[in-house]
Amino acid sequence: MIALAADHGGFQLKEAVKAWLEEQKIPYEDFGTHSEASCDYPDMALPACRAVVEGRCEKALLFCGTGVGISMAANKVHGIRAACCSDHFSAKYTRLHNDANALCLGGRVVGPGLAVELVDVFLHTAFEGGRHQRRVDKLSAIEREGSR
Ligand code: RB5
């Protein structure tokens, strides 16, 4: 199950990605927003990210105008490793090396064609583990032990 969330700036792109997920028969849960009315990206990110860290969803696809604000919100949630990407290489390597569990896309940055390519590679690339596991473990240690 894939968690989807967007603010108004990412709403149209979320809808385009949702149509592609349906074509691919990939199940999703849409945590909103459901219109272009102005809303606040942290409010939309939180329930989708909770679904991931609680194990109800495998990964999150998050959308705002730039992808940046909603990635900042997502990365405040312990257990989320969110990557804001607008190129194929980053979307692939954030899975291979960072075990990212949330992909953030900018509705004012990428078009729907590129967005579904980024989502496709993100959803279908496995974490490499090995030396990268040690680094991901250190990210988790910062969450557990704090940054000071
Ligand atoms: C909303 O206008 C916009 O600020 C938001 O979608 C996002 O781009 C923030 O990072």
Side-chain angles (χ1 to χ4, degrees):
M1 182 69 68
I2 302 301
L4 301 179
D7 76 352
H8 55 290
F11 168 70
Q12 289 290 355
L13 194 59
K14 172 172 69 67
E15 296 305 297
V17 168
K18 203 159 88 174
W20 180 83
L21 292 172
E22 281 168 14
E23 277 169 30
Q24 302 296 310
K25 305 199 186 320
I26 298 173
Y28 62 82
E29 184 170 352
D30 186 350
F31 291 88
T33 188
H34 301 292
S35 78
E36 291 190 86
S38 182
C39 62
D40 301 334
Y41 53 81
D43 297 338
M44 319 321 294
L46 186 57
C49 290
R50 276 201 184 123
V52 173
V53 297
E54 291 170 3
R56 288 178 280 123
C57 289
E58 181 194 327
K59 293 187 180 78
L61 302 174
L62 306 174
F63 308 84
C64 68
T66 57
V68 175
I70 205 157
S71 71
M72 290 179 172
N75 277 316
K76 301 290 183 195
V77 179
H78 284 192
I80 290 293
R81 291 176 302 281
C84 180
C85 298
S86 54
D87 68 278
H88 188 276
F89 185 88
S90 300
K92 179 177 177 180
Y93 274 81
T94 199
R95 287 290 309 129
L96 287 170
H97 287 188
N98 313 130
D99 198 17
N101 53 11
L103 177 67
C104 306
L105 300 171
R108 298 169 186 157
V109 179
V110 299
L114 176 56
V116 296
E117 285 209 15
L118 301 178
V119 168
D120 195 11
V121 73
F122 183 80
L123 294 182
H124 295 112
T125 302
F127 178 46
E128 254 180 27
R131 68 189 186 281
H132 303 294
Q133 183 64 61
R134 184 179 69 242
R135 295 159 187 167
V136 169
D137 289 345
K138 289 186 179 185
L139 294 177
S140 304
I142 294 171
E143 288 178 344
R144 280 196 314 275
E145 295 157 21
S147 56
R148 278 172 281 175

